[in-house]
Amino acid sequence: MNWLVYHVASGHSFFSGVALIFFAMLLSDRSGPIAKRVLSVAFLLGVIAIAISSTPLPNWYYVLAGLVTIGWLLSAYVTSWRDYARLAVISTWTVALALEVPFHFTPTLEPTSSRSLTIVGDSITAGMGMQDRSVRWPMLFAAEHQVRVQDLSQPGATTGSALKTVMAQSIAGQVVLLEIGGNDVLGDTAAAEFSNDLDALLSQLVVPGRQVVMFELPLPPFRNDFGRIQRSLARKHKVALVPKRVLLSAITADDSTVDSIHLTPAGHQRMATLVWSFVKSAFPSF
């Protein structure tokens, strides 16, 4: 089931869903019971795939896309609408794809003068129930790439508790990596509280001469609001977002976790490698 979890939580099911809707449209001119049955199944699966992807497009755009799509369905009874309705659906969902695609590219950081990294994270980074703390990915990352790592991660951390930790510390890294928010999404933190805490956290961390990069949160179905908040605040504070698929590729890989979330030693090694893949441009070779 790991592939399905990855496909949905990474947001890739949004693209699959749009593709299925387009496929259903291609079948709409075909007659016969089999074509109609396949059309219905494809359309239904497409809608479900889009809904559970929690892709954080604006709510108003989802309403618009839904109305346009319903118009296309109604055009089956009003032939004169059919071509216009089809064009409207293609245009609307193509724009949706164009809005979403940029969030699936890994950012590139600017070179820094200091090989220093500060990590603000939760138990994915801090580890959970690990006897040998030296196998956690921040330690592996520091040793493998000769980067000074300030690890401010804590088990069970939320965005609110991370804010308190950051306010009590002197931030050493010229690059700051945020792996935070998962406990907010999976816990009982309200979206408004998450927004306030994340805004305050980024305000503390984003200063001239420092680059901040943040893992975009893999979202359970129908938690779009947390994704919208994260993207909006990333734009506001000019913080680079790491696509959800990157974190998920470490969590959903075979032998990576002990409980589907917390990393094994193999998962920590995988995480160290993945983090290096997008921060290495900030730390040129000696």
Side-chain angles (χ1 to χ4, degrees):
M1 291 294 290
N2 277 0
W3 69 270
L4 183 58
V5 172
Y6 176 87
H7 190 67
V8 172
S10 67
H12 288 176
S13 66
F14 175 79
F15 300 99
S16 300
V18 174
L20 285 166
I21 288 176
F22 285 171
F23 177 65
M25 289 177 54
L26 290 175
L27 292 175
S28 62
D29 282 336
R30 305 228 173 182
S31 58
I34 294 178
K36 290 181 178 179
R37 192 172 296 116
V38 172
L39 182 155
S40 299
V41 172
F43 179 78
L44 180 60
L45 289 176
V47 170
I48 292 172
I50 291 170
I52 66 176
S53 73
S54 287
T55 298
L57 295 177
N59 275 329
W60 66 264
Y61 200 90
Y62 274 120
V63 172
L64 173 64
L67 290 174
V68 168
T69 305
I70 290 170
W72 167 66
L73 292 173
L74 293 176
S75 72
Y77 305 99
V78 185
T79 307
S80 59
W81 293 4
R82 190 169 299 163
D83 290 340
Y84 298 109
R86 182 179 299 160
L87 178 60
V89 170
I90 291 173
S91 300
T92 302
W93 285 109
T94 298
V95 169
L97 293 174
L99 291 171
E100 180 60 19
V101 163
F103 292 100
H104 292 257
F105 290 103
T106 305
T108 300
L109 304 185
E110 295 296 322
T112 64
S113 59
S114 170
R115 296 178 71 85
S116 57
L117 173 70
T118 295
I119 304 166
V120 179
D122 52 31
S123 54
I124 290 178
T125 296
M128 185 68 78
M130 299 184 68
Q131 305 237 340
D132 185 358
R133 305 285 288 172
S134 67
V135 301
R136 295 185 306 113
W137 77 259
M139 305 292 193
L140 299 173
F141 180 92
E144 291 172 3
H145 305 294
Q146 294 76 57
V147 175
R148 293 187 303 279
V149 173
Q150 179 187 27
D151 182 10
L152 302 182
S153 62
Q154 295 181 344
T158 63
T159 307
S161 68
L163 172 62
K164 294 176 183 177
T165 299
V166 166
M167 292 178 69
Q169 298 284 335
S170 176
I171 303 303
Q174 286 193 340
V175 176
V176 175
L177 174 62
L178 288 173
E179 180 274 301
I180 199 73
N183 289 316
D184 297 283
V185 173
L186 298 176
D188 56 4
T189 304
E193 181 183 355
F194 173 72
S195 179
N196 291 335
D197 289 342
L198 184 59
D199 194 12
L201 178 60
L202 295 180
S203 295
Q204 286 287 322
L205 292 172
V206 177
V207 299
R210 181 186 295 157
Q211 298 179 80
V212 179
V213 60
M214 176 168 55
F215 279 109
E216 189 170 15
L217 293 169
L219 298 173
F222 313 116
R223 300 309 298 270
N224 310 52
D225 46 354
F226 283 85
R228 289 191 195 97
I229 290 165
Q230 200 178 27
R231 288 183 179 183
S232 175
L233 292 175
R235 283 193 298 271
K236 174 183 175 180
H237 293 281
K238 297 181 173 56
V239 169
L241 279 177
V242 181
K244 294 177 278 188
R245 61 178 170 78
V246 177
L247 180 58
L248 279 168
S249 64
I251 294 175
T252 60
D254 291 340
D255 76 1
S256 269
T257 65
V258 294
D259 55 6
S260 77
I261 294 178
H262 299 106
L263 300 175
T264 61
H268 278 282
Q269 180 61 68
R270 192 170 281 115
M271 188 74 167
T273 301
L274 287 169
V275 171
W276 178 248
S277 71
F278 62 82
V279 303
K280 62 183 178 183
S281 57
F283 305 124
S285 301
F286 294 108

